[in-house]
Amino acid sequence: MGNRRISHLLSLVKSSAHGKIILFGEHAVVYNRPALAVPVTQVHADVEVSESPRAGIFIDAPNIDLHAELNSLPADHPIASVILKVFPHPLPLSLRERGWGEGGLNISITSTIPVASGLGSGAAVSIALIRALSSFLSRPITDSEVNSIAFEIEKFHHGTPSGIDNTVIAYNKPVYFIKGQPIETFKTGKPFTIVIGDTGISAPTKESVGDVRRLWLRDTNTFENYFNEIAQIALIARRSIESGRPELLGELMDQNHALLQCLTVSSPELDKLVKAARNAGALGAKLSGGGRGGNMIALAEQAQAESVAQALMSAGAKRTIITEIT
Ligand code: PMV
């Protein structure tokens, strides 16, 4: 009994994954154009896995009001599908191999990343869970393996994702991302400050991506041109960041936002926050992620960031995050 208790205490593993924000190139990235994204360390998903004397795999995820045993969930449930991907064999077998008799697992999942808002909440939960489960079974896993599993899960739930969310979060680094190509990170020549404003409207990325696809099919030339212009912006943005001239990003954000409006993925609420940020002295602003709701970002001088954040709250933002990109 004593041993069992010790092994129970020893067999608690924790893992955490940060959120992310897309700086430039969303939507066009689905069509093989480059996009830039960075981790947002102020928000994170946290997973704890521990052995339990009761048989079964119990998941406790209060943020989404989920308190269930794995077998009671459909196999395509976002959390069940991650667990089943990491453990192709029945998990209790692995536990028996570890001398834990008929016991089971408790999995606790919490997150400070708002859901469906462009901050990568789904990918962060998947990644923290993949790492925690692998570590629980003492199976080393590389960032690249974590990234591939998380991408499978994203495809399962989001249709045709570019893979940018899982890549930034799995590697926890700024990335210059082109779908299907090896990961490229980039360095910042000079730190800069981004203010993130949340409309509080949860908007499934799958829908805006589907709508853009329908429009692209109907008017391919026009949309290909929009994507090319966005790609150009992403390229110049990367150069500006690397060469230590981040102040140039403001104008690029404004241009990117105008193109996202052409793609029909902005919304009155996003436009209102973008305008409020600019009026409060931001150097530029744009929506970020799938659009229609979720978050927008603004480039601000460090000294201005707080007043830009306040202006966003006055214009209806549900919350703001000030983050330094270094
Ligand atoms: O809404 P988010 O942050 O998950 O971003 C989606 C980004 C898109 O380019 C719209 C879709 C994708 O898969 O890249």
Side-chain angles (χ1 to χ4, degrees):
M1 190 62 193
N3 280 345
R4 281 169 71 113
R5 218 173 263 137
I6 289 165
S7 104
H8 177 66
L9 286 175
L10 286 175
S11 293
L12 167 79
V13 298
K14 297 182 184 191
S15 182
S16 185
H18 292 139
K20 72 98 210 3
I21 197 94
I22 297 179
L23 297 180
F24 293 96
E26 50 275 273
H27 284 288
V29 70
V30 175
Y31 300 81
N32 305 305
R33 278 30 172 227
L36 272 73
V38 292
V40 177
T41 52
Q42 286 86 349
V43 286
H44 41 89
D46 298 283
V47 174
E48 271 188 32
V49 179
S50 57
E51 287 182 48
S52 148
R54 57 178 176 166
I57 297 166
F58 294 90
I59 303 149
D60 189 38
N63 296 92
I64 52 167
D65 207 17
L66 176 71
H67 310 276
E69 205 282 313
L70 178 65
N71 287 329
S72 71
L73 297 174
D76 63 356
H77 183 281
I79 288 172
S81 57
V82 177
I83 300 172
L84 295 168
K85 261 257 177 298
V86 179
F87 297 116
H89 306 295
L91 187 59
L93 183 66
S94 319
L95 288 175
R96 270 199 294 277
E97 282 163 4
R98 289 161 60 93
W100 187 247
E102 298 301 319
L105 279 188
N106 287 329
I107 300 178
S108 144
I109 303 172
T110 52
S111 174
T112 59
I113 312 174
V115 176
S117 69
L119 287 172
S121 102
V125 166
S126 297
I127 285 167
L129 187 53
I130 293 164
R131 288 218 172 95
L133 292 171
S134 304
S135 147
F136 182 82
L137 288 184
S138 312
R139 288 187 198 152
I141 188 161
T142 63
D143 288 346
S144 159
E145 285 164 334
V146 168
N147 192 28
S148 321
I149 299 174
F151 187 43
E152 289 306 308
I153 303 290
E154 292 278 293
K155 281 196 278 196
F156 198 45
H157 297 293
H158 302 302
T160 55
S162 62
I164 189 166
D165 280 25
N166 47 281
T167 304
V168 185
I169 295 169
Y171 288 91
N172 199 26
K173 286 182 181 149
V175 296
Y176 180 79
F177 179 87
I178 302 176
K179 194 166 124 184
Q181 294 200 11
I183 170 173
E184 264 185 76
T185 68
F186 63 87
K187 291 218 159 34
T188 42
K190 188 172 149 199
F192 56 97
T193 306
I194 296 287
V195 184
I196 303 171
D198 191 349
T199 60
I201 299 166
S202 88
T205 297
K206 195 175 178 173
E207 280 174 25
S208 63
V209 168
D211 288 348
V212 171
R213 181 161 297 275
R214 275 182 285 282
L215 293 167
W216 172 74
L217 286 171
R218 204 185 300 159
D219 190 358
T220 307
N221 273 347
T222 305
F223 274 69
E224 282 291 313
N225 286 336
Y226 292 148
F227 298 149
N228 286 338
E229 284 186 59
I230 293 172
Q232 207 45 38
I233 290 171
L235 188 65
I236 300 170
R238 179 188 178 167
R239 285 196 202 125
S240 308
I241 293 171
E242 288 185 323
S243 64
R245 303 197 62 199
E247 63 280 2
L248 300 178
L249 300 181
E251 173 68 28
L252 295 170
M253 282 185 184
D254 291 346
Q255 291 170 7
N256 197 161
H257 186 70
L259 286 157
L260 288 161
Q261 286 173 320
C262 295
L263 300 185
T264 76
V265 296
S266 194
S267 69
E269 295 82 2
L270 281 165
D271 288 344
K272 188 173 175 197
L273 294 188
V274 163
K275 199 166 156 199
R278 290 176 188 154
N279 289 343
L283 303 173
K286 64 182 276 294
L287 72 86
S288 175
R292 301 268 166 83
N295 282 283
M296 50 69 68
I297 55 172
L299 178 75
E301 300 287 1
Q302 204 178 22
Q304 291 276 309
E306 203 52 63
S307 52
V308 170
Q310 271 165 22
L312 289 173
M313 292 302 284
S314 307
K318 294 296 170 285
R319 67 185 220 155
T320 59
I321 297 172
I322 298 175
T323 187
E324 185 86 350
I325 315 296
T326 50

